[in-house]
Amino acid sequence: MYMEVKNIRNFVVIAHIDHGKSTLADRMLEITNTIEKRKMREQVLDQMELEREKGITIKMQPVRMVYHANRGSNAKIEEEYILNLIDTPGHIDFSYEVSRALQAVEGAILLVDATQGVEAQTITNVLMAKSLGLKVIPVLNKIDLASAMIDESKKELEDLLKCKGDEVLQVSAKTGEGVEELLSRVIEVVPPPKYEYADKSRALVFDFSYSLHRGVIVYVRVTDGEIKKGDELAFAGSGEKFIVHEVGTFNPQEETREKLSPGEIGYIVTNIKKPAMGTVGDSIISPKNPLPALPGYMQPKPVVFASVYPTSADNFNNLKHALEILHLSDSSLNFEEESSGALGRGYRCGFLGMLHLEIITERLKREFYLEFVVAQPTITYTVKLLNGEQVNVYSPAVFPEEHLIKTIFEPWIEVNIITPPDRLGGILQIIYDHEARVSLTEQFGEARNILKAEMPLRELMRGLFEEIKSASAGYASLNYKIIGMREAPKGWITRLDILVADELVPALSRITSRKRIEREAEELVEKLKNLVPRALFVIKIQARGMGRIIASRTISALKKDVTGYLYGGDRTRKMKLWAKQKRGKSRMKESGKVNIPNDVFVKMMQ
């Protein structure tokens, strides 16, 4: 028999990027007096420096608010309610963060920018929330702007959710208009949490953080029983036991409490110093009186791979420790050890997209002060060789030679693009250039079209997001999902290598299509020519592919005046010094290696 916790509501805010989630959370924190006005700042729940710099949410962030009856507009609300909000990211690369947050709550606010309307990622978020049986509250934001298309956006939400017009709330997160009514709606329609056992402890792990002093800190949604300081608990998956050092809630900073009760969202300090001991989706249970583990989460599959090598071999263990800590709070990050003849030992890391890769590498630099080289990002290819062997290729450096390959299979994606009709022609031209096959174009709402297409995943990595945004003046949005592996035309996919001073640089190798190999070769050697420092001898930069040199550039040698200190005398003395310098440069050219600085690899990746 299930019991309800009547005064708690757990919900998330989901939306497309830049639709105002963080600003709405700010207004909620103000209205509930969770944060004093003198301590308020914009995007208060975006606590990472990177989030504030880029103006996007990267990590989901929980916060506990107390909402009193006398603040509400609905007279039926009694006493006070605990509102546990989880603010979620909007970019598609962080959709796994959203899916984890959705499983820890009973309701979701679907926030749509009235100046933009329903966008591609909005549809994905709605489908995830609906599949989990959550109560979805449709909300139009930015209604105070002159460019707001309120009627059109409202109709799109009605069609998407199959709801009535009066169910769509209208707010301005910037001014606070309608936010208090929204809080009242949350209390009215979001179901209260339920629990089955009052005397047995169980909680869902939806996130982690790590502290050097307090060890692993677990973010949980308590489903049964109570958790308090001194309790002996265990991770159901790993079996790791620990004594609870501290429990608390997020206000939005960590605030210690006596206990966490059923339905509450909070944190548990474990004092475990091993970052690799648990995973998100695991359950916290009592080892003395254990309950079955909760269903947990499906593990995400990385779609972009890049190898990371420390610039110094002494930092290899530091890099491993940093990746383990990041994996705690971002389980979509995968990594395993590998080695390269040129770069030494490192890790091949899997990411959910190019933005995810950029954020992780930035965090490694800023939070752990590491210096490293990032190899050219790629995706997974399945290659069948002529000898019958089948290999999965994650790195361009180990892509087989063309004469050994029988067939190549690559991942394909289904793309959904929502765009104004007048921008459709330009977008069609772009996606055809990216080898897309359009399957459907139909009207979406009153003034927009939805375009469905299939294309190779490798083409998504070539700046497709940016090109579509540019062609549509920012009005189009894109969402995608993996649909499986398909065979590539014979000889269509090939490896492009970069040689510096006749030496292969594995970190700069890339896999590309035959259609683009010449253009990419020219761009790479030209860019590298401007980045590699000059030496005392001529440096030759070459791009090699399809068994031949496709593009080449030369960096002239530095000139050193070896006769500058001489004065007067016979010219033959100068000629002897010049000849000696020439012989020295020849020896350097034959035996010397070009040292490529770390920042060159980073700039080449960008």
Side-chain angles (χ1 to χ4, degrees):
M1 180 179 176
Y2 287 93
M3 293 160 280
E4 291 185 348
V5 186
K6 296 188 180 297
N7 71 323
I8 294 180
R9 299 292 184 273
N10 299 320
F11 65 102
V12 299
V13 180
I14 54 176
H16 192 83
I17 191 169
D18 288 334
H19 278 217
K21 296 181 304 299
S22 298
T23 307
L24 178 63
D26 289 347
R27 299 293 80 75
M28 289 181 173
L29 292 172
E30 282 183 347
I31 290 172
T32 57
N33 282 335
T34 303
I35 296 180
E36 297 177 32
K37 286 190 177 181
R38 61 188 179 88
K39 295 182 180 179
M40 273 300 297
R41 60 175 183 172
E42 290 185 2
Q43 295 175 261
V44 71
L45 293 185
D46 291 340
Q47 299 186 12
M48 287 172 53
E49 181 184 350
L50 269 174
E51 291 178 314
R52 305 191 69 80
E53 275 185 20
K54 293 182 175 292
I56 61 173
T57 302
I58 295 168
K59 282 290 301 170
M60 60 173 158
Q61 178 62 43
V63 62
R64 172 190 172 112
M65 301 176 290
V66 178
Y67 185 71
H68 293 279
N70 57 8
R71 296 181 187 277
S73 58
N74 191 326
K76 294 180 181 179
I77 300 176
E78 297 177 358
E79 299 178 356
E80 68 178 26
Y81 286 83
I82 296 170
L83 306 180
N84 289 311
L85 160 68
I86 302 180
D87 186 26
T88 62
H91 195 280
I92 188 172
D93 279 12
F94 304 105
S95 58
Y96 186 59
E97 290 275 320
V98 181
S99 68
R100 283 158 46 193
L102 289 172
Q103 286 191 238
V105 298
E106 287 77 31
I109 293 174
L110 176 63
L111 195 67
V112 171
D113 184 342
T115 67
Q116 300 287 333
V118 172
E119 302 208 45
Q121 187 64 25
T122 311
I123 299 173
T124 300
N125 289 333
V126 167
L127 293 176
M128 282 196 293
K130 288 285 190 182
S131 68
L132 294 169
L134 301 189
K135 177 62 181 178
V136 179
I137 303 174
V139 180
L140 279 182
N141 188 25
K142 305 185 183 180
I143 60 170
D144 57 308
L145 298 182
S147 56
M149 303 176 293
I150 295 176
D151 293 336
E152 296 91 332
S153 301
K154 188 176 179 180
K155 181 67 168 58
E156 289 177 357
L157 276 173
E158 291 175 29
D159 294 341
L160 178 64
L161 295 173
K162 309 299 183 212
C163 63
K164 298 178 181 178
D166 57 1
E167 294 180 46
V168 180
L169 297 183
Q170 300 179 23
V171 305
S172 169
K174 185 177 181 180
T175 66
E177 180 185 350
V179 177
E180 196 153 353
E181 182 186 349
L182 172 57
L183 288 173
S184 297
R185 181 69 64 88
V186 167
I187 293 171
E188 290 173 21
V189 303
V190 174
K194 296 179 180 179
Y195 65 97
E196 189 173 3
Y197 302 96
D199 56 344
K200 298 180 182 181
S201 300
R202 182 168 56 176
L204 173 68
V205 178
F206 67 86
D207 208 352
F208 286 96
S209 65
Y210 185 82
S211 165
L212 288 174
H213 304 293
R214 302 191 295 168
V216 174
I217 301 170
V218 190
Y219 293 14
V220 297
R221 153 69 190 273
V222 181
T223 59
D224 295 279
E226 295 180 344
I227 297 175
K228 58 184 181 299
K229 181 178 179 180
D231 286 351
E232 183 184 15
L233 299 176
F235 289 92
S238 65
E240 183 83 26
K241 296 180 181 179
F242 62 92
I243 301 296
V244 176
H245 187 69
E246 179 187 314
V247 298
T249 55
F250 304 95
N251 292 46
Q253 303 300 326
E254 293 177 2
E255 185 174 303
T256 306
R257 295 192 175 273
E258 289 185 11
K259 63 182 179 180
L260 293 177
S261 302
E264 288 196 297
I265 290 175
Y267 68 89
I268 302 172
V269 178
T270 67
N271 223 22
I272 298 173
K273 299 299 171 66
K274 297 182 296 182
M277 41 60 65
T279 59
V280 294
D282 203 347
S283 298
I284 299 287
I285 58 174
S286 172
K288 295 178 182 178
N289 195 10
L291 287 171
L294 296 162
Y297 306 123
M298 288 182 61
Q299 287 300 310
K301 292 183 178 180
V303 296
V304 174
F305 294 87
S307 297
V308 180
Y309 301 94
T311 53
S312 169
D314 296 336
N315 285 328
F316 177 78
N317 289 330
N318 293 336
L319 176 60
K320 178 182 179 182
H321 185 67
L323 288 171
E324 286 176 344
I325 291 175
L326 289 181
H327 178 71
L328 261 182
S329 61
D330 184 357
S331 59
S332 58
L333 167 66
N334 291 341
F335 63 94
E336 61 181 61
E337 186 177 340
E338 69 172 9
S339 60
S340 163
L343 298 170
R345 296 169 71 198
Y347 286 94
R348 188 186 75 236
C349 301
F351 307 91
L352 297 184
M354 294 298 288
L355 179 62
H356 189 207
L357 185 156
E358 180 185 346
I359 294 299
I360 292 295
T361 52
E362 277 294 319
R363 291 186 68 185
L364 285 172
K365 282 189 285 187
R366 297 188 186 200
E367 297 176 26
F368 302 97
Y369 308 103
L370 291 172
E371 291 186 359
F372 50 86
V373 173
V374 180
Q376 179 64 34
T378 186
I379 58 176
T380 307
Y381 294 90
T382 299
V383 182
K384 288 187 176 180
L385 304 178
L386 291 173
N387 63 5
E389 186 181 355
Q390 181 171 301
V391 293
N392 291 324
V393 179
Y394 300 91
S395 170
V398 295
F399 196 81
E401 295 293 335
E402 197 165 343
H403 65 277
L404 301 174
I405 297 173
K406 182 180 180 181
T407 53
I408 299 173
F409 293 87
E410 61 175 337
W412 273 59
I413 57 174
E414 180 184 273
V415 178
N416 291 326
I417 302 172
I418 298 177
T419 178
D422 60 329
R423 307 284 179 174
L424 187 60
I427 289 175
L428 282 170
Q429 183 61 47
I430 289 171
I431 65 170
Y432 282 136
D433 186 51
H434 284 267
E435 303 179 30
R437 301 172 184 172
V438 176
S439 57
L440 177 68
T441 303
E442 62 182 11
Q443 190 170 353
F444 180 80
E446 296 182 2
R448 292 195 293 171
N449 287 85
I450 184 167
L451 187 153
K452 296 181 184 291
E454 296 175 354
M455 63 190 298
L457 177 59
R458 61 181 156 81
E459 290 296 311
L460 184 74
M461 297 169 56
R462 293 197 314 100
L464 182 63
F465 277 100
E466 292 75 15
E467 288 183 43
I468 287 178
K469 282 292 182 185
S470 176
S472 66
Y475 286 106
S477 61
L478 179 149
N479 185 44
Y480 71 91
K481 66 178 181 180
I482 306 291
I483 57 175
M485 304 290 284
R486 295 185 182 178
E487 183 178 346
K490 188 171 180 60
W492 186 250
I493 297 174
T494 187
R495 189 177 84 188
L496 177 64
D497 289 326
I498 299 297
L499 294 85
V500 177
D502 295 320
E503 184 176 351
L504 178 67
V505 184
L508 296 179
S509 295
R510 62 175 57 190
I511 301 170
T512 186
S513 64
R514 189 177 291 267
K515 172 184 177 182
R516 304 188 183 282
I517 192 168
E518 292 189 4
R519 186 196 310 174
E520 290 194 15
E522 289 288 342
E523 290 173 354
L524 283 172
V525 294
E526 181 64 29
K527 188 174 182 179
L528 200 54
K529 177 189 174 183
N530 296 324
L531 293 175
V532 173
R534 294 170 67 190
L536 291 172
F537 57 91
V538 173
I539 300 174
K540 186 164 54 177
I541 299 174
Q542 298 170 304
R544 183 180 66 194
M546 299 185 298
R548 60 187 177 88
I549 300 298
I550 300 173
S552 180
R553 296 290 188 278
T554 300
I555 301 176
S556 59
L558 283 171
K559 295 182 179 179
K560 182 179 178 181
D561 188 2
V562 294
T563 62
Y565 67 94
L566 298 179
Y567 58 93
D570 193 278
R571 179 177 172 81
T572 55
R573 191 177 176 192
K574 291 185 177 182
M575 292 176 68
K576 287 179 181 179
L577 288 173
W578 288 330
K580 184 179 179 181
Q581 182 188 38
K582 187 176 181 180
R583 290 193 299 272
K585 286 188 176 184
S586 297
R587 287 194 300 272
M588 289 176 68
K589 185 176 181 181
E590 290 172 5
S591 61
K593 287 181 63 176
V594 177
N595 292 318
I596 304 177
N598 175 50
D599 64 328
V600 171
F601 292 97
V602 176
K603 290 174 181 175
M604 289 297 291
M605 185 189 80
Q606 293 171 343

